[in-house]
Each structure stands twice: as structure tokens, then as C-alpha cells.
């Protein structure tokens, strides 16, 4: 079932990695008083990404080494289990390496303004949430393949269905834990370090406005500034 194996590889390739927002020092939203804090926040976000991608790379290498040895020494469903793990390992290693190098480059130019930090933070959190949705799809596909492997009338080899199904359950389970942890870590980081800096910033569709409290019950926002 090479087609099924290739399908699993394509599903893994659909996983996006966190993108990096480029710094714009001339932005009208940049404030020198908070610049150092925002640059520190951006640097820490990159550090969290690098740490997570290192874990993903380690998982990929363990799959390549362990299943690379076991695939030639096993038969039946175990052989196909390790065969699928090899494909996942190669793809995850490529994604982890590309993401890690991107985070290293971004670390040399941390973003010092609020608008870019907000965009980068929301993009990062949304990507991990999207990936978690894909992970659930991997788990569901694994369950489906196992059930198909138990069906004696199903076309194809039952060993292949079971081997690929177990692999998808393993990979999907790990990735769901990984993406969930990364999302929680980034969200906590944003809640503690970035969002308090935005207490006087109102974010709307395509614009950011600075709100200046002039009284106990009245607020007079200055004209909103476009994000683009």
C-alpha cells in the first residue's frame, strides 16, 4: 500500500510551522519606552520555538534510528508499522530543521514593536491549534485503519492496515501532546509578557488604536492606525 504510505507523508507535510514576523523599526506603533521589553518578549518566543523544535527533531531521529533498524528485522504488521514510522521521521526531521533554522535567524533580529509582536504571537498560537486539529485527524485515521485491518473482507493486506494504523496512532498521539504543550506554553508566555503591555491598546479589524484614559468613566481613543 505505497499509496497509503505516501498519503501519510503528505498529511504530515500539511503541518505548518510557526512563521516569523519581520521587525519594522520605522513602524508608527513602535514606542522606545517599551521597545526593550518587546524585544525581550520576541526573543523568548523564538527560544520557546527552538526548544520545541529540538524536541520534535529528537523524536524524528529516534523514529529514524529505531524503526530503521527494526523495519528490516520484523515481518507482518510490525514491519509496516516501522515502515510508516520511517516516513514520519524523515518528514518531521525536515520540518523541525527548517523551523529551527528560521527561529535562529529570527532570534538575531527580535521584533521591537507591538503590532508585529501581536501578529507573530497570534499566528504562532493559531498554527499550533491548527496542527492539533490535524493530529486528531491522524488519530481518527489510525483507528479507521485498525478497524479495516480487522475486517476479513477489506481489500488489501490486513497486516498493512494494522501496521499503518498503529503508526498513525503513535505519531498522532505524540504530535497532539507536542502541539498542545507548545500552544499552552506560548499562550502563557503571551498572557504574562505581551498582553499586559496592550492594556491601553484596542485591536480591531485591520487597525490598532491607543486608548488614553482621561477620567474614571470616559475614554478618548486617538484615531486608529492601520496594521498594514
Amino acid at each position: 500500500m505505497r499509496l497509503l504510505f505516501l498519503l501519510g507523508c503528505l498529511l504530515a507535510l500539511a503541518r505548518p510551522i510557526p512563521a516569523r514576523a519581520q521587525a519594522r523599526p520605522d513602524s508608527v506603533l513602535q514606542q522606545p519606552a517599551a521597545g526593550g521589553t518587546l524585544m525581550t518578549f520576541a526573543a523568548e518566543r523564538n527560544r520557546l520555538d527552538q526548544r520545541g523544535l529540538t524536541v520534535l527533531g529528537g523524536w524524528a531521529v529516534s523514529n529514524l534510528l529505531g524503526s530503521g533498524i527494526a523495519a528490516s528485522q520484523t515481518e507482518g504488521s510490525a514491519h509496516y508499522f516501522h515502515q510508516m514510522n520511517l516516513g514520519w521521521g524523515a518528514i518531521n526531521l525536515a520540518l523541525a530543521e527548517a523551523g529551527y533554522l528560521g527561529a535562529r535567524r529570527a532570534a538575531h533580529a527580535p521584533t521591537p514593536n507591538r503590532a508585529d509582536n501581536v501578529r507573530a504571537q497570534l499566528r504562532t498560537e493559531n498554527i499550533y491549534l491548527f496542527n492539533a486539529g490535524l493530529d486528531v485527524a491522524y488519530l481518527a485515521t489510525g483507528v479507521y485503519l485498525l478497524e479495516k485491518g480487522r475486517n476479513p473482507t477489506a481489500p488489501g493486506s490486513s497486516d498493512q492496515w494494522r501496521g499503518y494504523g498503529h503508526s498513525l496512532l503513535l505519531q498522532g498521539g505524540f504530535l497532539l501532546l507536542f502541539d498542545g504543550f507548545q500552544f499552552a506554553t506560548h499562550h502563557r508566555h503571551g498572557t504574562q509578557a505581551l498582553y499586559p503591555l496592550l492594556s491601553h491598546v484596542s485591536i480591531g479589524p485591520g487597525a490598532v488604536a491607543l486608548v488614553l484614559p482621561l477620567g474614571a468613566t470616559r475614554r478618548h481613543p486617538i484615531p486608529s492606525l492601520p496594521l498594514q
Side-chain angles (χ1 to χ4, degrees), residues 153-170:
T153 63
S157 168
S158 60
D159 285 339
Q160 286 180 319
W161 295 127
R162 291 197 302 270
Y164 289 158
H166 281 121
S167 177
L168 281 170
L169 289 178
L170 174 66

Side-chain angles (χ1 to χ4, degrees), residues 188-202:
R188 183 171 60 251
H189 178 226
T191 300
Q192 294 175 348
L194 177 63
Y195 301 143
L197 293 174
L198 308 178
S199 57
H200 297 307
V201 174
S202 175

Side-chain angles (χ1 to χ4, degrees), residues 1-9 60 62-91 145 157 159-168 170-171:
M1 291 298 177
R2 293 185 177 86
L3 180 60
L4 180 61
F5 178 72
L6 292 175
L7 177 60
C9 295
S62 68
N63 275 275
L64 289 172
L65 293 178
S67 290
I69 296 173
S72 61
Q73 299 177 350
T74 54
E75 298 178 351
S77 63
H79 171 77
Y80 294 106
F81 169 78
H82 292 295
Q83 184 185 71
M84 179 66 89
N85 285 344
L86 278 172
W88 279 92
I91 292 173
L145 294 182
S157 168
D159 285 339
Q160 286 180 319
W161 295 127
R162 291 197 302 270
Y164 289 158
H166 281 121
S167 177
L168 281 170
L170 174 66
Q171 301 296 332

Side-chain angles (χ1 to χ4, degrees), residues 37-205:
T37 302
L38 290 169
M39 291 182 69
T40 300
F41 171 83
E44 177 64 11
R45 183 180 62 244
N46 288 326
R47 188 191 71 80
L48 292 175
D49 274 335
Q50 290 180 53
R51 185 185 68 181
L53 291 167
T54 299
V55 172
L56 181 61
W59 171 255
V61 170
S62 68
N63 275 275
L64 289 172
L65 293 178
S67 290
I69 296 173
S72 61
Q73 299 177 350
T74 54
E75 298 178 351
S77 63
H79 171 77
Y80 294 106
F81 169 78
H82 292 295
Q83 184 185 71
M84 179 66 89
N85 285 344
L86 278 172
W88 279 92
I91 292 173
N92 283 334
L93 183 60
L95 293 176
E97 183 178 3
Y100 185 86
L101 292 177
R104 286 287 300 272
R105 287 193 297 269
H108 294 298
T111 305
N113 75 53
R114 292 181 177 181
D116 284 345
N117 269 291
V118 169
R119 276 193 293 265
Q121 179 68 19
L122 294 178
R123 183 186 301 115
T124 297
E125 291 184 17
N126 288 337
I127 283 176
Y128 283 118
L129 280 178
F130 176 78
N131 284 345
L134 287 179
D135 301 335
V136 173
Y138 300 154
L139 291 171
T141 304
V143 171
Y144 169 76
L145 294 182
L146 286 179
E147 290 300 319
K148 196 167 185 176
R150 296 188 183 102
N151 184 358
T153 63
S157 168
S158 60
D159 285 339
Q160 286 180 319
W161 295 127
R162 291 197 302 270
Y164 289 158
H166 281 121
S167 177
L168 281 170
L169 289 178
L170 174 66
Q171 301 296 332
F174 170 82
L175 291 173
L176 183 59
L177 291 175
F178 171 79
D179 290 320
F181 178 80
Q182 284 293 98
F183 168 79
T185 300
H186 278 284
H187 184 70
R188 183 171 60 251
H189 178 226
T191 300
Q192 294 175 348
L194 177 63
Y195 301 143
L197 293 174
L198 308 178
S199 57
H200 297 307
V201 174
S202 175
I203 302 176

Side-chain angles (χ1 to χ4, degrees), residues 2-28:
R2 293 185 177 86
L3 180 60
L4 180 61
F5 178 72
L6 292 175
L7 177 60
C9 295
L10 290 174
L11 285 172
L13 282 173
R15 296 172 55 82
I17 56 179
R20 306 289 177 261
Q22 297 297 321
R24 295 188 300 176
D26 58 340
S27 170
V28 293

